[in-house]
Protein backbone atom coordinates (compact mmCIF):
# COMPACT_ATOMS: atom_id res chain seq x y z
CA UNK A 1 0.00 0.00 0.00
CA UNK A 2 1.57 3.30 -1.03
CA UNK A 3 1.25 6.19 1.40
CA UNK A 4 3.26 8.69 -0.59
CA UNK A 5 1.86 12.21 -0.56
CA UNK A 6 2.38 15.05 -3.01
CA UNK A 7 5.79 16.59 -2.70
CA UNK A 8 5.03 19.96 -4.29
CA UNK A 9 5.63 23.23 -2.47
CA UNK A 10 5.80 26.90 -3.35
CA UNK A 11 9.26 27.71 -4.64
CA UNK A 12 9.35 31.44 -3.85
CA UNK A 13 9.61 33.33 -0.56
CA UNK A 14 9.75 31.72 2.84
CA UNK A 15 7.54 28.70 3.62
CA UNK A 16 5.73 30.83 6.20
CA UNK A 17 4.99 33.49 3.60
CA UNK A 18 3.74 30.85 1.15
CA UNK A 19 1.38 29.38 3.75
CA UNK A 20 0.10 32.83 4.75
CA UNK A 21 -0.44 33.73 1.11
CA UNK A 22 -2.52 30.62 0.45
CA UNK A 23 -4.62 31.22 3.54
CA UNK A 24 -5.15 34.86 2.53
CA UNK A 25 -6.20 33.75 -0.95
CA UNK A 26 -8.95 31.60 0.56
CA UNK A 27 -10.12 34.60 2.58
CA UNK A 28 -10.09 36.89 -0.44
CA UNK A 29 -12.09 34.38 -2.48
CA UNK A 30 -14.76 34.29 0.21
CA UNK A 31 -14.13 30.59 0.84
CA UNK A 32 -13.33 31.32 4.50
CA UNK A 33 -14.36 33.92 7.04
CA UNK A 34 -11.80 35.79 9.10
CA UNK A 35 -11.30 33.76 12.24
CA UNK A 36 -8.82 34.55 15.00
CA UNK A 37 -8.51 30.92 16.15
CA UNK A 38 -7.64 29.72 12.66
CA UNK A 39 -5.22 32.60 12.19
CA UNK A 40 -3.35 31.57 15.36
CA UNK A 41 -3.00 28.01 14.03
CA UNK A 42 -1.75 29.36 10.69
CA UNK A 43 0.90 31.34 12.56
CA UNK A 44 2.02 28.22 14.48
CA UNK A 45 2.13 26.14 11.30
CA UNK A 46 4.10 28.92 9.61
CA UNK A 47 6.73 28.71 12.36
CA UNK A 48 6.96 24.97 11.84
CA UNK A 49 7.24 25.36 8.06
CA UNK A 50 10.17 27.75 8.46
CA UNK A 51 11.85 25.42 10.97
CA UNK A 52 11.52 22.52 8.55
CA UNK A 53 13.30 24.50 5.83
CA UNK A 54 16.62 24.12 7.68
CA UNK A 55 15.94 20.76 9.32
CA UNK A 56 18.02 17.80 8.22
CA UNK A 57 17.38 14.65 10.28
CA UNK A 58 20.29 12.30 10.69
CA UNK A 59 19.85 8.98 8.93
CA UNK A 60 19.65 6.61 11.88
CA UNK A 61 20.02 3.55 9.67
CA UNK A 62 23.73 4.23 9.11
CA UNK A 63 26.73 4.51 11.42
CA UNK A 64 27.37 8.05 10.17
CA UNK A 65 23.76 8.90 10.94
CA UNK A 66 24.13 7.85 14.56
CA UNK A 67 27.37 9.86 14.86
CA UNK A 68 25.76 12.95 13.38
CA UNK A 69 22.72 12.67 15.63
CA UNK A 70 24.50 14.51 18.44
CA UNK A 71 25.79 17.32 16.19
CA UNK A 72 22.54 18.29 14.52
CA UNK A 73 19.68 20.35 15.88
CA UNK A 74 16.80 18.39 17.32
CA UNK A 75 13.62 17.90 15.38
CA UNK A 76 11.11 20.76 15.43
CA UNK A 77 8.11 20.15 17.67
CA UNK A 78 5.15 18.85 15.74
CA UNK A 79 1.53 19.81 16.16
CA UNK A 80 -1.59 17.98 17.33
CA UNK A 81 -4.64 20.02 16.32
CA UNK A 82 -8.02 19.00 17.69
CA UNK A 83 -11.53 20.42 17.90
CA UNK A 84 -15.10 19.94 16.76
CA UNK A 85 -15.80 18.71 13.24
CA UNK A 86 -16.08 21.25 10.48
CA UNK A 87 -13.80 23.86 12.06
CA UNK A 88 -11.16 23.81 9.34
CA UNK A 89 -8.54 21.46 10.81
CA UNK A 90 -8.10 19.42 7.64
CA UNK A 91 -8.05 22.53 5.46
CA UNK A 92 -5.29 24.10 7.57
CA UNK A 93 -3.20 20.95 7.49
CA UNK A 94 -3.63 20.71 3.71
CA UNK A 95 -2.36 24.28 3.31
CA UNK A 96 0.61 23.48 5.55
CA UNK A 97 1.41 20.23 3.75
CA UNK A 98 1.33 21.91 0.33
CA UNK A 99 3.87 24.55 1.40
CA UNK A 100 6.07 22.52 3.78
CA UNK A 101 9.63 22.58 2.35
CA UNK A 102 10.26 18.88 2.85
CA UNK A 103 11.09 16.35 0.16
CA UNK A 104 10.07 13.27 2.14
CA UNK A 105 6.58 14.12 3.32
CA UNK A 106 3.35 12.16 3.54
CA UNK A 107 -0.21 13.13 4.25
CA UNK A 108 -2.40 10.16 5.09
CA UNK A 109 -5.58 9.21 6.89
CA UNK A 110 -4.58 7.71 10.24
CA UNK A 111 -6.45 4.43 9.73
CA UNK A 112 -4.85 3.97 6.32
CA UNK A 113 -1.45 4.55 7.90
CA UNK A 114 -2.10 1.93 10.58
CA UNK A 115 -3.22 -0.61 7.99
CA UNK A 116 0.11 -0.09 6.24
CA UNK A 117 1.98 -0.44 9.55
CA UNK A 118 0.32 -3.78 10.26
CA UNK A 119 1.26 -5.00 6.77
CA UNK A 120 4.89 -3.99 7.34
CA UNK A 121 5.00 -5.71 10.74
CA UNK A 122 3.53 -8.90 9.31
CA UNK A 123 6.05 -8.87 6.47
CA UNK A 124 8.91 -8.31 8.91
CA UNK A 125 7.82 -11.22 11.07
CA UNK A 126 7.56 -13.49 8.06
CA UNK A 127 11.00 -12.66 6.68
CA UNK A 128 13.24 -12.46 9.74
CA UNK A 129 13.49 -12.59 13.52
CA UNK A 130 13.93 -9.58 15.74
CA UNK A 131 11.76 -6.57 16.58
CA UNK A 132 9.23 -6.32 13.74
CA UNK A 133 7.78 -3.04 15.03
CA UNK A 134 11.23 -1.45 15.08
CA UNK A 135 11.86 -2.62 11.52
CA UNK A 136 8.55 -1.18 10.34
CA UNK A 137 9.32 2.13 12.06
CA UNK A 138 12.75 2.20 10.48
CA UNK A 139 11.29 1.72 7.01
CA UNK A 140 8.83 4.54 7.56
CA UNK A 141 11.52 6.87 8.93
CA UNK A 142 13.74 6.13 5.91
CA UNK A 143 10.88 7.22 3.65
CA UNK A 144 9.44 10.13 5.64
CA UNK A 145 10.63 13.26 7.42
CA UNK A 146 7.22 14.94 7.80
CA UNK A 147 4.20 12.78 8.58
CA UNK A 148 0.77 14.45 8.47
CA UNK A 149 -2.21 12.51 9.84
CA UNK A 150 -5.82 13.33 9.15
CA UNK A 151 -8.50 12.15 11.60
CA UNK A 152 -6.22 10.73 14.25
CA UNK A 153 -8.55 8.41 16.18
CA UNK A 154 -7.49 5.28 18.06
CA UNK A 155 -10.23 2.70 18.57
CA UNK A 156 -8.59 -0.61 17.71
CA UNK A 157 -6.74 -2.56 20.40
CA UNK A 158 -4.23 -3.90 17.86
CA UNK A 159 -3.31 -0.29 16.98
CA UNK A 160 -3.28 0.86 20.59
CA UNK A 161 -0.85 -1.84 21.71
CA UNK A 162 1.86 -0.96 19.18
CA UNK A 163 1.65 2.84 18.97
CA UNK A 164 4.01 3.61 21.86
CA UNK A 165 6.82 1.41 20.53
CA UNK A 166 6.24 2.53 16.94
CA UNK A 167 6.28 6.26 17.61
CA UNK A 168 9.17 6.04 20.06
CA UNK A 169 11.26 4.77 17.14
CA UNK A 170 9.86 7.34 14.71
CA UNK A 171 10.62 10.23 17.07
CA UNK A 172 14.10 8.83 17.75
CA UNK A 173 14.71 8.98 14.00
CA UNK A 174 13.57 12.62 13.88
CA UNK A 175 10.23 12.20 12.13
CA UNK A 176 8.08 15.32 12.57
CA UNK A 177 4.37 14.70 13.08
CA UNK A 178 1.35 16.94 12.45
CA UNK A 179 -2.07 15.49 13.21
CA UNK A 180 -5.71 16.53 13.28
CA UNK A 181 -8.33 14.93 15.49
CA UNK A 182 -11.72 15.56 17.04
CA UNK A 183 -10.30 14.51 20.43
CA UNK A 184 -7.35 15.61 22.60
CA UNK A 185 -4.68 12.94 23.11
CA UNK A 186 -5.89 12.11 26.62
CA UNK A 187 -9.35 11.23 25.27
CA UNK A 188 -8.04 8.78 22.68
CA UNK A 189 -8.91 5.11 23.30
CA UNK A 190 -10.83 6.28 26.38
CA UNK A 191 -12.70 3.04 27.15
CA UNK A 192 -10.38 0.63 25.33
CA UNK A 193 -9.12 -2.67 26.65
CA UNK A 194 -5.75 -2.52 28.44
CA UNK A 195 -5.78 1.26 28.22
CA UNK A 196 -3.00 1.50 30.81
CA UNK A 197 -0.62 0.13 28.16
CA UNK A 198 -1.71 2.94 25.82
CA UNK A 199 -1.11 5.83 28.21
CA UNK A 200 2.68 6.05 27.61
CA UNK A 201 1.84 6.89 24.01
CA UNK A 202 -0.42 9.74 25.16
CA UNK A 203 2.41 11.14 27.30
CA UNK A 204 4.78 10.80 24.35
CA UNK A 205 2.46 12.81 22.09
CA UNK A 206 2.08 15.54 24.67
CA UNK A 207 5.85 15.71 25.13
CA UNK A 208 6.75 15.78 21.43
CA UNK A 209 3.87 17.77 19.90
CA UNK A 210 2.21 21.07 20.72
CA UNK A 211 -1.40 20.18 21.50
CA UNK A 212 -3.73 22.95 20.31
CA UNK A 213 -7.50 23.08 20.42
CA UNK A 214 -9.07 24.86 17.45
CA UNK A 215 -12.06 26.75 18.77
CA UNK A 216 -13.27 28.29 15.51
CA UNK A 217 -16.73 29.84 15.52
CA UNK A 218 -17.81 28.56 12.11
CA UNK A 219 -18.64 25.04 10.99
CA UNK A 220 -16.82 25.03 7.64
CA UNK A 221 -18.39 21.73 6.68
CA UNK A 222 -21.78 23.46 6.75
CA UNK A 223 -20.23 26.42 4.93
CA UNK A 224 -19.31 24.14 2.05
CA UNK A 225 -22.88 22.85 1.81
CA UNK A 226 -24.47 26.27 2.26
CA UNK A 227 -26.81 26.88 -0.66
CA UNK A 228 -26.07 23.47 -2.19
CA UNK A 229 -29.02 21.26 -3.13
CA UNK A 230 -28.46 17.84 -1.60
CA UNK A 231 -31.05 15.72 -3.46
CA UNK A 232 -30.96 15.76 -7.26
CA UNK A 233 -33.73 14.23 -9.39
CA UNK A 234 -33.50 12.74 -11.95
CA UNK A 235 -29.96 11.33 -12.02
CA UNK A 236 -29.17 12.89 -15.39
CA UNK A 237 -26.29 14.95 -16.78
CA UNK A 238 -27.48 18.07 -14.98
CA UNK A 239 -27.58 16.20 -11.68
CA UNK A 240 -24.11 14.79 -12.34
CA UNK A 241 -22.73 18.30 -12.93
CA UNK A 242 -24.29 19.53 -9.68
CA UNK A 243 -22.97 16.53 -7.76
CA UNK A 244 -19.49 17.02 -9.22
CA UNK A 245 -19.55 20.69 -8.15
CA UNK A 246 -20.64 19.75 -4.62
CA UNK A 247 -17.88 17.14 -4.44
CA UNK A 248 -15.22 19.65 -5.48
CA UNK A 249 -16.39 22.00 -2.73
CA UNK A 250 -16.10 19.20 -0.19
CA UNK A 251 -13.00 17.34 -1.33
CA UNK A 252 -11.10 20.05 -3.20
CA UNK A 253 -10.34 20.47 -6.87
CA UNK A 254 -8.25 17.30 -6.87
CA UNK A 255 -11.40 15.28 -6.33
CA UNK A 256 -10.08 13.12 -3.50
CA UNK A 257 -8.37 9.75 -3.73
CA UNK A 258 -9.30 6.10 -3.14
CA UNK A 259 -8.68 4.69 0.32
CA UNK A 260 -9.21 1.55 2.38
CA UNK A 261 -11.06 1.72 5.70
CA UNK A 262 -9.82 -1.06 8.00
CA UNK A 263 -12.52 -3.06 9.76
CA UNK A 264 -11.89 -6.17 11.87
CA UNK A 265 -9.08 -7.62 9.80
CA UNK A 266 -10.47 -6.59 6.42
CA UNK A 267 -11.09 -3.29 4.67
CA UNK A 268 -13.87 -1.31 3.03
CA UNK A 269 -12.92 0.18 -0.33
CA UNK A 270 -13.78 3.88 -0.61
CA UNK A 271 -13.69 4.96 -4.28
CA UNK A 272 -13.08 8.63 -3.48
CA UNK A 273 -12.30 10.33 -0.16
CA UNK A 274 -11.22 13.86 0.64
CA UNK A 275 -11.88 16.67 3.08
CA UNK A 276 -13.67 14.35 5.49
CA UNK A 277 -16.17 13.32 2.80
CA UNK A 278 -16.54 10.18 0.67
CA UNK A 279 -18.19 9.40 -2.66
CA UNK A 280 -19.80 6.13 -3.70
CA UNK A 281 -22.30 4.93 -6.26
CA UNK A 282 -25.49 3.20 -5.12
CA UNK A 283 -24.15 0.02 -6.70
CA UNK A 284 -20.97 0.16 -4.60
CA UNK A 285 -22.93 0.56 -1.37
CA UNK A 286 -26.18 -1.34 -1.78
CA UNK A 287 -25.43 -4.07 -4.31
CA UNK A 288 -22.14 -5.01 -2.64
CA UNK A 289 -22.06 -7.43 0.33
CA UNK A 290 -21.97 -4.69 2.97
CA UNK A 291 -23.74 -4.77 6.31
CA UNK A 292 -24.38 -2.81 9.50
CA UNK A 293 -20.73 -2.80 10.65
CA UNK A 294 -19.57 -1.50 7.26
CA UNK A 295 -22.08 1.33 7.17
CA UNK A 296 -21.30 2.28 10.76
CA UNK A 297 -17.56 2.38 9.97
CA UNK A 298 -18.26 4.66 7.02
CA UNK A 299 -20.55 6.88 9.09
CA UNK A 300 -17.87 7.30 11.77
CA UNK A 301 -15.13 8.06 9.24
CA UNK A 302 -16.88 10.71 7.11
CA UNK A 303 -19.03 13.72 7.91
CA UNK A 304 -20.55 13.82 4.41
CA UNK A 305 -21.41 11.11 1.89
CA UNK A 306 -22.12 11.61 -1.79
CA UNK A 307 -24.09 8.77 -3.39
CA UNK A 308 -24.50 8.70 -7.17
CA UNK A 309 -27.28 7.12 -9.19
CA UNK A 310 -29.80 5.85 -6.65
CA UNK A 311 -32.31 3.89 -8.78
CA UNK A 312 -35.96 3.10 -8.27
CA UNK A 313 -35.86 -0.18 -6.31
CA UNK A 314 -38.26 -2.89 -7.46
CA UNK A 315 -40.34 -5.07 -5.11
CA UNK A 316 -38.17 -8.08 -5.97
CA UNK A 317 -34.94 -6.23 -5.05
CA UNK A 318 -35.32 -6.69 -1.31
CA UNK A 319 -31.61 -7.06 -0.56
CA UNK A 320 -30.90 -3.69 -2.15
CA UNK A 321 -33.86 -2.18 -0.28
CA UNK A 322 -32.66 -3.60 3.05
CA UNK A 323 -29.15 -2.22 2.54
CA UNK A 324 -30.46 1.20 1.52
CA UNK A 325 -32.72 1.31 4.59
CA UNK A 326 -29.79 0.34 6.81
CA UNK A 327 -27.50 2.88 5.13
CA UNK A 328 -29.89 5.80 5.58
CA UNK A 329 -30.70 4.83 9.18
CA UNK A 330 -26.98 4.69 10.00
CA UNK A 331 -26.20 8.02 8.33
CA UNK A 332 -29.16 9.63 10.09
CA UNK A 333 -28.24 8.25 13.51
CA UNK A 334 -24.72 9.69 13.13
CA UNK A 335 -25.74 13.04 11.59
CA UNK A 336 -23.82 12.29 8.39
CA UNK A 337 -24.75 14.67 5.59
CA UNK A 338 -26.00 13.09 2.36
CA UNK A 339 -25.73 14.53 -1.14
CA UNK A 340 -27.27 12.27 -3.77
CA UNK A 341 -28.57 11.90 -7.29
CA UNK A 342 -31.60 9.68 -7.67
CA UNK A 343 -34.05 8.45 -10.27
CA UNK A 344 -37.01 9.67 -8.22
CA UNK A 345 -38.09 11.58 -5.13
CA UNK A 346 -37.65 9.62 -1.87
CA UNK A 347 -41.32 8.58 -1.67
CA UNK A 348 -41.09 6.99 -5.13
CA UNK A 349 -37.81 5.14 -4.70
CA UNK A 350 -39.23 1.80 -3.55
CA UNK A 351 -42.02 0.09 -5.49
CA UNK A 352 -42.77 -2.61 -2.93
CA UNK A 353 -46.12 -2.21 -1.19
CA UNK A 354 -46.08 -4.90 1.48
CA UNK A 355 -43.68 -6.69 3.81
CA UNK A 356 -40.97 -5.49 6.15
CA UNK A 357 -39.12 -3.38 3.59
CA UNK A 358 -42.20 -1.40 2.57
CA UNK A 359 -42.98 -0.55 6.18
CA UNK A 360 -39.39 0.39 6.96
CA UNK A 361 -39.08 2.48 3.83
CA UNK A 362 -41.75 4.87 5.07
CA UNK A 363 -39.38 5.82 7.88
CA UNK A 364 -36.54 6.24 5.37
CA UNK A 365 -38.65 8.63 3.30
CA UNK A 366 -39.27 10.77 6.38
CA UNK A 367 -35.59 10.75 7.31
CA UNK A 368 -34.45 11.63 3.80
CA UNK A 369 -36.76 14.65 3.90
CA UNK A 370 -35.31 15.76 7.24
CA UNK A 371 -31.76 15.20 5.99
CA UNK A 372 -32.33 17.91 3.38
CA UNK A 373 -33.27 20.51 6.00
CA UNK A 374 -31.06 23.34 7.23
CA UNK A 375 -31.51 22.13 10.82
CA UNK A 376 -30.14 18.68 9.96
CA UNK A 377 -27.25 20.12 7.94
CA UNK A 378 -26.30 22.24 10.95
CA UNK A 379 -25.96 19.20 13.25
CA UNK A 380 -22.42 18.25 14.32
CA UNK A 381 -21.17 14.96 12.95
CA UNK A 382 -21.57 12.17 15.47
CA UNK A 383 -24.07 10.14 17.40
CA UNK A 384 -27.41 11.94 17.67
CA UNK A 385 -28.90 12.36 21.14
Amino acid sequence: MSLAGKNTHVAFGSPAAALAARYSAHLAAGELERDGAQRAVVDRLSELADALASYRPANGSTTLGWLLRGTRKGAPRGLYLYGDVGRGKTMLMDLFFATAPVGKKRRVHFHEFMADVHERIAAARNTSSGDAIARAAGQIADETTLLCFDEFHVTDIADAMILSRLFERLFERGVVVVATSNLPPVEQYRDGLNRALFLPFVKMLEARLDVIRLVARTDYRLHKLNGVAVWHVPADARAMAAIDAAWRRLAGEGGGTPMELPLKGRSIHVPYAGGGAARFSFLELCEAPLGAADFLRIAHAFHTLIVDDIPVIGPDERNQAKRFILLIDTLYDNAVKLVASAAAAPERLYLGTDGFEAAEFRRVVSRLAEMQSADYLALPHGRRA
Side-chain angles (χ1 to χ4, degrees):
M1 181 187 303
S2 174
L3 300 180
K6 296 178 181 178
N7 290 325
T8 57
H9 63 272
V10 176
F12 56 89
S14 71
L19 175 56
R22 291 200 179 204
Y23 181 71
S24 297
H26 282 283
L27 291 174
E31 297 170 352
L32 297 174
E33 296 181 9
R34 295 191 180 277
D35 189 302
Q38 282 197 350
R39 181 75 242 188
V41 173
V42 169
D43 290 344
R44 175 64 185 86
L45 288 171
S46 297
E47 294 174 0
L48 178 55
D50 275 350
L52 287 169
S54 58
Y55 175 55
R56 298 294 182 272
N59 182 356
S61 64
T62 67
T63 301
L64 179 60
W66 286 106
L67 292 173
L68 289 175
R69 181 183 300 279
T71 66
R72 297 195 180 193
K73 293 171 58 178
R77 288 180 64 83
L79 183 68
Y80 183 105
L81 182 63
Y82 77 96
D84 290 339
V85 297
R87 305 298 164 177
K89 302 184 297 295
T90 296
M91 176 273 298
L92 293 173
M93 188 172 70
D94 285 346
L95 293 179
F96 166 73
F97 184 83
T99 55
V102 179
K104 295 180 178 181
K105 59 181 178 178
R106 295 176 178 173
R107 184 203 180 286
V108 63
H109 191 283
F110 180 68
H111 293 300
E112 183 181 353
F113 172 78
M114 291 309 301
D116 176 75
V117 168
H118 285 295
E119 288 181 8
R120 291 175 187 259
I121 291 173
R125 286 172 175 163
N126 288 333
T127 57
S128 65
S129 59
D131 189 339
I133 295 176
R135 288 189 60 193
Q139 292 169 1
I140 294 167
D142 286 341
E143 301 163 0
T144 314
T145 300
L146 172 65
L147 193 52
C148 291
F149 292 121
D150 194 21
E151 298 188 27
F152 194 105
H153 188 201
V154 183
T155 58
D156 185 86
I157 186 172
D159 293 347
M161 293 303 100
I162 68 171
L163 281 171
S164 184
R165 292 168 59 197
L166 176 74
F167 274 80
E168 182 179 15
R169 294 284 184 158
L170 293 178
F171 288 138
E172 283 178 355
R173 289 285 304 276
V175 175
V176 178
V177 173
V178 174
T180 69
S181 179
N182 295 337
L183 301 172
V186 73
E187 292 294 326
Q188 294 285 354
Y189 199 58
R190 166 58 72 181
D191 299 314
L193 293 172
N194 297 320
R195 188 169 189 266
L197 299 177
F198 176 76
L199 293 179
F201 173 65
V202 173
K203 293 181 180 179
M204 189 184 306
L205 285 182
E206 293 173 339
R208 297 280 189 162
L209 279 61
D210 289 340
V211 179
I212 299 177
R213 182 183 180 190
L214 178 60
V215 191
R217 67 179 183 272
T218 302
D219 185 337
Y220 290 95
R221 178 205 62 246
L222 179 59
H223 175 82
K224 290 181 179 181
L225 291 177
N226 187 31
V228 175
V230 296
W231 191 267
H232 299 269
V233 175
D236 56 11
R238 180 176 297 181
M240 178 63 72
I243 290 281
D244 286 343
W247 177 244
R248 287 193 295 272
R249 292 183 70 172
L250 289 163
E253 290 298 323
T257 56
M259 69 172 291
E260 302 294 324
L261 277 181
L263 177 63
K264 298 179 179 178
R266 57 185 178 87
S267 63
I268 305 166
H269 178 67
V270 182
Y272 301 98
R279 186 170 184 174
F280 294 85
S281 69
F282 176 88
L283 185 149
E284 289 162 336
L285 286 172
C286 297
E287 295 192 13
L290 302 181
D294 302 273
F295 293 147
L296 186 61
R297 182 72 181 85
I298 291 169
H300 286 171
F302 303 106
H303 60 66
T304 303
L305 212 63
I306 284 186
V307 180
D308 293 300
D309 299 322
I310 301 172
V312 172
I313 304 170
D316 57 338
E317 297 176 303
R318 290 191 170 181
N319 285 337
Q320 292 91 326
K322 288 177 182 176
R323 288 196 185 99
F324 187 69
I325 291 167
L326 184 57
L327 171 68
I328 299 305
D329 282 347
T330 305
L331 299 183
Y332 179 85
D333 287 342
N334 291 275
V336 177
K337 312 310 173 283
L338 174 66
V339 182
S341 62
E347 63 271 16
R348 299 178 182 273
L349 278 179
Y350 184 53
L351 300 181
T353 57
D354 57 12
F356 171 83
E357 293 80 15
E360 292 292 292
F361 216 89
R362 287 192 286 272
R363 181 184 68 255
V364 166
V365 170
S366 174
R367 289 187 165 185
L368 284 173
E370 183 181 344
M371 290 167 78
Q372 299 176 53
S373 70
D375 286 345
Y376 181 88
L377 294 174
L379 290 173
H381 177 217
R383 184 74 183 175
R384 291 165 60 93

